[in-house]
Amino acid sequence: MFPEPTYTQRRAALCSALDGGLVLLLGNSESPMNYADNCHRFRQDSTFLYFFGLDQPDLAAVIDTDVGTATVFGDELTIDDIVWTGGLPTIAARAAACGVTETLPTADLPGVLARARAAGRAIHFLPPYRAANKLKLMDLLGIAPGEAGARASRPLIEAVVAQRSVKAPEEIEQIERAVDVTIAMHLAAMRMVRPGVSERAIAAEVTRVAEAAGCRLSYPVIATVRGEVLHNHHHDGMLESGDLFLLDAGAEGPLGYAADLSSTVPVDPDFTPRQRLIYDLSLKAYHAAVDALGPGVPNRDVHFAAARVIAEGMKGLGLMKGDTEEAVAAGAHAMFFPCGVGHMMGLDVHDMEDLGEAFVGYDGRPRSTQFGLKSLRLARPLQPGFVLTVEPGIYFIPQLMDAWRASGHCAEFLDFDELDKWRDFGGIRNEENWLITPDGKRRLGEPKPLTADEIAGVRDQPR
Ligand code: GLY
Ligand code: MN
């Protein structure tokens, strides 16, 4: 946990941002894998962590924004529990560590909420993303599970997004530590890459490096020779000569802060000339996006800076044609870059995605429905203290080529016959994590090998 004043100040800021009422924050419960006592690793809700730092299942909290007090609800361990868990600090002792002096049993929560409702006070809650918390809201507030998202408090969502979007120095330090562990994960993987190694072996090593450093994974590892499958979580392939290997893996630090890096390397010691062309183009797009970053710059512009470079490069290769600006406006570049340039990162790898990307990335406005652009999670102007990923990629997706050829989509900007020659190329992505500063930006963590020469240098080192 951070020192106690961090949590007291965060809750005070939340109270000032709201116009009265109670805030009900539900922590997460254990999530069974196949029976009640055999659970997935516990992950606390990120907003609960942000305001209370208590990393323990089955807690809830109420913040009274009119008087500025907070109560933590939870049940002490019984002797039956302690036989299995060992002795643990009491809820009162844990709550004291985040500056909360009032704790009550879980059974008291319905009464507290009922009295507040009877007095006509607002009860603000966030959209639940776990079924268990939807059911809890039904029990506590009588809201049907299917309606809980729509009935969530917009003022609370906006206040939490405003607070969590701007990272404090102690948060940046946590993120940067997670980034450095993540770089060690990527270096370990790069040193293993060669023909005959399995994706599984690399995924296992990447996970080991994270765990050995006291971290966990911030999302499931992508370790694949099929980089064109954007979220490819299968690890059953073998690395073969001529392949590209893409790793997208990040550590989550002990306080819950995430890192998210991607690297692409050749399975052979060097890229083929064709791979090198696309790799260098992807780096050019990456640097164009990074150059565009800065306070006040809409991340939408950062996205288009990368998109333009990719479209220009594809024209040079004869895969695209026509006016670049018109092609990008029509979304033709999304044949190669069908996703967004990056996303917010913090206590969640896609920070606050549970609160709604309209609020996190679009200031509450709807986003584009155009293929490609609709997957841009963060479009609004960047502010000092924002931490985000920059991850333009170039992907050759045979199914997308066939679908667009059949429908004629963007046919004026694409040469489908030329594209067919690249069906088996795969995909490339590089990704780093950036902080927006008052006068620009700063890459978080140590530099990661990016150029072909830097990658070759890492692979020459002994394992
Ligand atoms: N690292 C996975 C993602 O950004 O979606
Ligand atoms: Mn990412």
Side-chain angles (χ1 to χ4, degrees):
M1 282 176 73
F2 292 119
E4 173 263 309
T6 298
Y7 301 102
T8 310
Q9 285 158 16
R10 287 174 178 178
R11 292 193 299 271
L14 181 66
C15 291
S16 321
L18 290 171
D19 194 15
L22 298 188
V23 170
L24 168 64
L25 292 178
L26 296 178
N28 281 335
S29 300
E30 297 280 15
S31 175
M33 287 192 288
N34 44 355
Y35 54 91
D37 283 342
N38 198 27
C39 294
H40 291 285
R41 194 160 162 177
F42 175 69
R43 177 55 160 83
Q44 184 56 289
D45 173 73
S46 294
T47 300
F48 196 88
L49 273 182
Y50 182 82
F51 287 107
F52 294 92
L54 302 176
D55 195 4
Q56 180 190 355
D58 297 324
L59 298 176
V62 169
I63 303 172
D64 186 327
T65 67
D66 292 298
V67 288
T69 55
T71 308
V72 170
F73 294 82
D75 294 327
E76 299 297 355
L77 296 178
T78 65
I79 188 63
D80 282 343
D81 298 321
I82 290 170
V83 168
W84 298 96
T85 62
L88 296 171
T90 63
I91 290 173
R94 291 170 193 265
C98 67
V100 173
T101 51
E102 186 172 52
T103 60
L104 288 172
T106 306
D108 287 1
L109 180 55
V112 167
L113 298 175
R115 281 192 292 283
R117 291 170 84 195
R121 302 186 68 196
I123 298 176
H124 302 276
F125 62 90
L126 295 171
Y129 53 91
R130 285 198 184 186
N133 279 349
K134 291 183 186 176
L135 295 177
K136 277 188 209 167
L137 283 175
M138 181 168 68
D139 287 345
L140 292 168
L141 301 175
I143 294 171
E147 292 173 13
R151 299 268 301 269
S153 161
R154 183 167 176 155
L156 178 61
I157 293 171
E158 289 177 341
V160 171
V161 168
Q163 247 180 291
R164 284 183 54 190
S165 292
V166 177
K167 272 63 181 179
E170 68 266 24
E171 296 185 281
I172 294 162
E173 190 188 332
Q174 289 292 322
I175 295 171
E176 199 149 25
R177 281 198 214 169
V179 174
D180 282 338
V181 172
T182 302
I183 288 166
M185 292 155 65
H186 281 245
L187 293 177
M190 286 180 194
R191 291 187 192 115
M192 286 178 77
V193 168
R194 67 201 65 222
V197 172
S198 65
E199 294 173 349
R200 196 173 285 135
I202 299 178
E205 176 62 6
V206 161
T207 306
R208 187 198 67 74
V209 173
E211 297 266 351
C215 295
R216 61 163 84 180
L217 299 173
S218 51
Y219 52 93
V221 170
I222 298 169
T224 182
V225 291
R226 299 203 46 215
E228 78 280 9
V229 181
L230 297 187
H231 276 179
N232 187 351
H233 294 136
H234 299 283
H235 303 143
D236 42 17
M238 292 296 288
L239 279 57
E240 290 176 14
S241 178
D243 285 339
L244 289 168
F245 175 76
L246 188 153
L247 180 71
D248 183 345
E252 177 182 297
L255 300 194
Y257 287 89
D260 178 5
L261 301 182
S262 300
S263 310
T264 309
V265 299
V267 169
D268 296 315
D270 296 312
F271 290 106
T272 65
R274 208 181 204 209
Q275 288 171 343
R276 182 69 191 263
L277 277 176
I278 302 298
Y279 188 83
D280 287 349
L281 179 58
S282 79
L283 273 195
K284 197 171 169 192
Y286 175 78
H287 290 303
V290 167
D291 287 348
L293 289 178
V297 176
N299 203 49
R300 196 174 196 277
D301 294 357
V302 177
H303 175 82
F304 280 118
R308 254 181 239 112
V309 169
I310 292 170
E312 270 298 309
M314 291 302 168
K315 259 170 70 175
L317 291 171
L319 304 184
M320 285 185 72
K321 56 192 181 183
D323 180 74
T324 300
E325 287 303 322
E326 285 177 23
V328 168
H333 63 282
M335 167 59 71
F336 311 98
F337 178 32
C339 50
V341 75
H343 50 85
M344 292 277 224
M345 197 183 78
L347 279 166
D348 308 297
V349 62
H350 290 179
D351 209 22
M352 301 171 281
E353 198 168 292
D354 59 310
L355 304 183
E357 286 178 323
F359 299 104
V360 179
Y362 285 81
D363 284 325
R365 287 191 278 276
R367 59 171 142 172
S368 169
T369 55
Q370 186 187 72
F371 180 81
L373 193 53
K374 71 181 177 188
S375 299
L376 176 63
R377 301 177 190 282
L378 172 63
R380 67 178 164 128
L382 301 171
Q383 293 171 31
F386 281 17
V387 170
L388 67 158
T389 67
V390 179
E391 50 177 311
I394 299 180
Y395 311 97
F396 290 86
I397 304 171
Q399 297 91 333
L400 193 58
M401 297 177 188
D402 295 340
W404 285 23
R405 187 200 273 271
S407 68
H409 183 64
C410 287
E412 64 272 45
F413 301 114
L414 292 161
D415 187 324
F416 289 110
D417 289 336
E418 281 304 308
L419 256 179
D420 255 346
K421 300 176 187 162
W422 294 76
R423 291 179 78 82
D424 299 326
F425 182 88
I428 289 176
R429 169 165 74 255
N430 273 296
E431 175 178 20
E432 291 187 293
N433 306 145
W434 288 81
L435 167 71
I436 304 302
T437 60
D439 52 5
K441 64 256 178 170
R442 177 168 80 77
R443 193 200 53 244
L444 293 176
E446 298 291 320
K448 182 171 82 67
L450 273 184
T451 65
D453 286 348
E454 286 164 356
I455 292 167
V458 172
R459 294 179 52 172
D460 289 343
Q461 293 168 13
R463 285 202 262 160

